[in-house]
Amino acid sequence: MGRTFFVGGNWKCNGTTEEVKKIVTTLNEAEVPTEDVVEVVVSPPFVFLPLVKSLLKPNFSVAAQNCWVKKGGAFTGEISAEMLVDLGIPWVILGHSERRSLLSESNEFVGDKVAYALSKGLKVIACVGETLEQRESGSTMEVVAAQTKAIAVKISNWDNVVLAYEPVWAIGTGKVATPVQAQEVHVELRKWLKDNVSAEVAASTRIIYGGSVNGANCQELAAKPDVDGFLVGGASLKLEFVDIIKSAIVKKSA
């Protein structure tokens, strides 16, 4: 069974009600490949989750951008996994570099979050990636392996995990890892999973790329054998997100 191409759209902290409705209308009207070719998940801010879920056509799914590390309670401003399940939200993004850097989320904390979300029945887009300093010092694989290990030691089932490699230096900067650079890290991540989890998990887990993906570069990236899709930031708010979804055809014909 091949790995179904996966395209996630992370809307981050953007949008008004009217803007969100326009984005959803664009997606609903778009002609995109069928679900057996590409799985599409969009991630609006928390306040728009119910709206987007109610308006979006059923072959697209919805993700939250974060959730708390344990059951809800006296955690002001947080959203629990249980609340997402109650709302019928199937996916959550965890460990995004913006949360790791701006909110000091550690590898261990992200690992705990992933494990708790999975235990409540959520599917997880788990993010890993290195900074520019780490890449230039040659420690890319050391960094992403440590981030992945912090998740691996907390979970036993990878069926509902998509691993997103997002080089921090390429997020929102306009810089993009070349297809060769992306493929290189994805291969190493898959090898790490094979050596430290299992060959089956390595073969079946989707490893997607995020970092200034757009309509112009998506096809070349999608053609790489170990790039199983994308986690798209700014471009997911634009019409070109449809082109990125369509890049799955490249994989299907490869």
Side-chain angles (χ1 to χ4, degrees):
M1 179 81 181
R3 299 184 297 269
T4 303
F5 204 76
F6 185 101
V7 177
N10 178 10
W11 298 0
K12 305 191 180 184
C13 190
N14 290 295
T16 63
T17 301
E18 286 311 306
E19 288 168 348
V20 164
K21 286 179 179 177
K22 286 179 182 176
I23 295 169
V24 172
T25 298
T26 298
L27 291 174
N28 285 346
E29 293 175 351
E31 291 188 18
V32 298
T34 54
E35 289 171 273
D36 61 316
V37 176
V38 60
E39 183 171 8
V40 180
V41 178
V42 297
S43 188
F46 284 121
V47 292
F48 298 126
L49 283 171
L51 175 66
V52 173
K53 185 175 184 294
S54 69
L55 296 177
L56 200 62
K57 60 185 180 184
N59 52 326
F60 290 169
S61 292
V62 181
Q65 296 178 15
N66 179 48
C67 66
W68 186 232
V69 70
K70 59 178 83 169
K71 189 176 180 181
F75 307 107
T76 301
E78 289 293 339
I79 307 290
S80 70
E82 289 85 352
M83 290 174 186
L84 297 178
V85 171
D86 182 57
L87 287 176
I89 305 300
W91 286 90
V92 63
I93 298 171
L94 294 173
H96 193 280
S97 67
E98 287 156 5
R99 297 193 63 86
R100 289 179 186 264
S101 60
L102 298 174
L103 296 162
S104 303
E105 292 193 359
S106 68
N107 291 351
E108 292 69 30
F109 189 61
V110 172
D112 286 336
K113 278 186 162 188
V114 172
Y116 191 78
L118 290 172
S119 77
K120 296 302 163 186
L122 292 171
K123 300 175 185 178
V124 175
I125 301 166
C127 303
V128 300
E130 84 284 8
T131 64
L132 184 60
E133 294 78 14
Q134 289 164 337
R135 172 163 280 275
E136 289 178 342
S137 69
S139 55
T140 293
M141 267 321 296
E142 185 183 335
V143 170
V144 295
Q147 292 168 336
T148 308
K149 180 181 180 181
I151 295 167
V153 296
K154 299 284 173 58
I155 70 173
S156 55
N157 188 334
W158 285 76
D159 291 350
N160 290 326
V161 178
V162 168
L163 203 56
Y165 167 59
E166 297 197 299
V168 181
W169 48 272
I171 298 175
T173 61
K175 295 179 181 177
V176 186
T178 66
V180 171
Q181 286 174 318
Q183 168 68 9
E184 186 178 54
V185 177
H186 285 223
V187 165
E188 287 300 317
L189 272 172
R190 208 175 295 287
K191 183 176 184 297
W192 189 94
L193 288 173
K194 183 180 180 182
D195 293 344
N196 295 276
V197 182
S198 74
E200 184 183 11
V201 165
S204 62
T205 299
R206 289 174 290 185
I207 304 176
I208 63 177
Y209 170 77
S212 298
V213 178
N214 57 45
N217 60 32
C218 58
Q219 293 208 15
E220 193 180 359
L221 284 161
K224 291 299 179 185
D226 286 279
V227 175
D228 300 317
F230 304 114
L231 184 57
V232 185
S236 67
L237 301 165
K238 303 172 185 173
L239 187 59
E240 66 185 305
F241 187 58
V242 174
D243 295 325
I244 297 171
I245 295 170
K246 289 179 179 177
S247 70
I249 294 293
V250 173
K251 189 68 77 181
K252 192 70 177 175
S253 60

